[in-house]
Amino acid sequence: MSNGTIQIQPSFTHTMQEEIARLRRVIVTQDREIIRLKNIINYRAIEHNITPMSIDCVMHHACVFFNMTIDMLTDRNREGERVKARMAACWICNRRYKHTFKSIGRKMAHRDHSTIMNACDKADELMRWDKAFKHQVDMIINSIEQEFVTNPS
């Protein structure tokens, strides 16, 4: 020891730096594993209808898919594409995510629960014979679930 300083052997310092680097890699790996497990849990929740998506989320995705605004989706217009988009959104909210007819109706410009029930029944019937409509509904569901898996709240 000279001048009150302690000389640390180079091998000790090098070993300590390696250990710190190793611990940092372990922490990063554990953080990634936690994120991966959260994504699996969220996906399973969706798969088993444990965590329903919000009606607003479904409406947003239906609007993006059918290239319309929320106002267009919820207005009283009976134009073909708007009706299909409304039926798809209602069906997804009720049949897939188990929202009540009443709660869906409130979000869909205060429609009566029986109107929403009718839309879901018509969507069921339409999906039986119109494979394109069924594919559209499946695409909307996939986009919702992909968003939820990649951006869990």
Side-chain angles (χ1 to χ4, degrees):
M1 283 201 299
S2 61
N3 299 340
T5 59
I6 301 174
Q7 294 291 329
I8 299 177
Q9 301 214 354
S11 64
F12 177 74
T13 305
H14 183 68
T15 306
M16 198 61 156
Q17 288 173 343
E18 285 178 352
E19 185 62 14
I20 291 170
R22 187 187 71 76
L23 289 173
R24 284 185 179 145
R25 284 192 301 272
V26 167
I27 290 170
V28 168
T29 303
Q30 287 176 344
D31 286 349
R32 286 183 183 150
E33 186 64 14
I34 289 168
I35 291 168
R36 189 182 73 78
L37 290 172
K38 281 182 179 178
N39 286 343
I40 289 170
I41 290 166
N42 290 334
Y43 180 75
R44 296 254 165 82
I46 291 168
E47 193 174 51
H48 298 290
N49 296 323
I50 295 167
T51 306
M53 306 314 269
S54 73
I55 297 169
D56 291 326
C57 175
V58 174
M59 289 170 59
H60 167 75
H61 282 273
C63 286
V64 168
F65 188 84
F66 285 98
N67 195 27
M68 62 180 63
T69 65
I70 294 288
D71 289 338
M72 292 168 70
L73 181 73
T74 59
D75 70 7
R76 301 288 178 185
N77 190 311
R78 293 185 184 181
E79 180 187 319
E81 280 301 302
R82 291 186 190 189
V83 171
K84 277 188 172 184
R86 265 194 301 273
M87 285 193 310
C90 290
W91 188 91
I92 293 167
C93 286
N94 180 258
R95 303 292 202 267
R96 180 72 180 193
Y97 299 123
K98 310 301 183 203
H99 290 285
T100 64
F101 295 125
K102 186 175 182 178
S103 63
I104 300 166
R106 263 185 264 140
K107 291 286 186 173
M108 288 281 185
H110 301 286
R111 285 179 166 79
D112 190 67
H113 76 279
S114 61
T115 304
I116 304 303
M117 195 182 320
N118 186 46
C120 290
D121 291 344
K122 285 191 181 217
D124 277 331
E125 184 180 323
L126 189 57
M127 282 193 283
R128 271 192 220 102
W129 61 267
D130 186 350
K131 297 303 176 195
F133 179 70
K134 182 172 181 6
H135 181 69
Q136 290 171 331
V137 170
D138 290 340
M139 296 273 294
I140 295 168
I141 291 169
N142 288 340
S143 71
I144 294 166
E145 292 179 359
Q146 280 302 314
E147 179 181 315
F148 188 67
V149 169
T150 56
N151 301 317
S153 334

